[in-house]
Amino acid sequence: MQYEAKSPEDYISQVPEERQETLKKLRKVIKDNLPKGFEEGIQYKMIGYYVPHSVYPDGYHCDPKTPLPFMSFASQKNSVNLYHSGIYANPELHEWFVTEYPKHCKRKLDMGKSCIRFKKMDEIPFELIGELTQKMTCDEWIDIYETALKKK
């Protein structure tokens, strides 16, 4: 589902009531663990965390007016989805997450390239998400992003 939100608070207020506390907790975990340099806002109609133009003036190559995306989350029809570009771009980080996940959650990992889907709100591994959020600094993300651009 897509929401026309102006702020993270506005986004959370629009999701179904039974998901609001979960999203508030997820947002707090991410904000409490987010390395310096990233900013929070609405990006692609989700709550997003990105490298602002003040840190990375070039912005996102697909649309330089857009700050460089890093991670985000959204309430979808059947799940809460967490998107983490570092998991997609860094094989070591991906392997770490896949290895750690079963230590935090009994449910099978439901994951795409950068998307982790949580269908049961009471089984979201918040501690693991906090650890994941800390794993990549803003400068590391910019380096990985720029290296990937040079390969294209």
Side-chain angles (χ1 to χ4, degrees):
M1 299 179 67
Q2 292 188 351
Y3 301 95
E4 297 295 330
K6 303 288 185 227
S7 69
E9 296 85 1
D10 186 26
Y11 183 96
I12 291 171
S13 74
Q14 292 181 41
V15 303
E17 192 172 330
E18 64 273 9
R19 287 204 183 164
Q20 289 181 9
E21 286 307 311
T22 298
L23 293 188
K24 286 177 187 176
K25 184 173 181 179
L26 182 57
R27 180 180 179 220
K28 179 173 180 7
V29 165
I30 292 170
K31 285 179 65 173
D32 287 352
N33 290 283
L34 194 66
K36 184 180 174 206
F38 293 108
E39 283 186 5
E40 178 192 58
I42 297 295
Q43 200 172 41
Y44 302 106
K45 299 186 178 188
M46 298 180 277
I47 296 177
Y49 301 88
Y50 47 81
V51 183
H53 285 108
S54 61
V55 174
Y56 190 71
D58 291 349
Y60 188 41
H61 72 279
C62 295
D63 178 5
K65 293 177 192 160
T66 300
L68 178 61
F70 177 58
M71 64 186 295
S72 58
F73 66 90
S75 178
Q76 302 295 343
K77 182 178 180 183
N78 297 312
S79 61
V80 167
N81 295 354
L82 176 70
Y83 303 88
H84 192 288
S85 298
I87 281 182
Y88 175 69
N90 182 324
E92 293 84 16
L93 184 59
H94 179 273
E95 183 60 34
W96 170 85
F97 187 81
V98 170
T99 300
E100 288 297 311
Y101 185 85
K103 299 174 187 175
H104 295 264
C105 191
K106 291 181 171 99
R107 189 164 298 279
K108 182 181 175 206
L109 178 59
D110 184 357
M111 184 172 165
K113 290 182 179 180
S114 70
C115 175
I116 307 157
R117 290 172 285 279
F118 301 104
K119 293 182 177 154
K120 300 283 186 186
M121 300 305 105
D122 59 341
E123 294 182 14
I124 294 175
F126 293 105
E127 184 179 317
L128 181 61
I129 292 168
E131 289 178 46
L132 173 64
T133 303
Q134 293 175 11
K135 289 276 184 191
M136 189 174 290
T137 68
C138 192
D139 288 340
E140 288 169 334
W141 174 233
I142 291 168
D143 287 346
I144 289 170
Y145 175 75
E146 287 184 338
T147 299
L149 278 182
K150 289 175 188 172
K151 291 179 181 178
K152 287 187 176 189

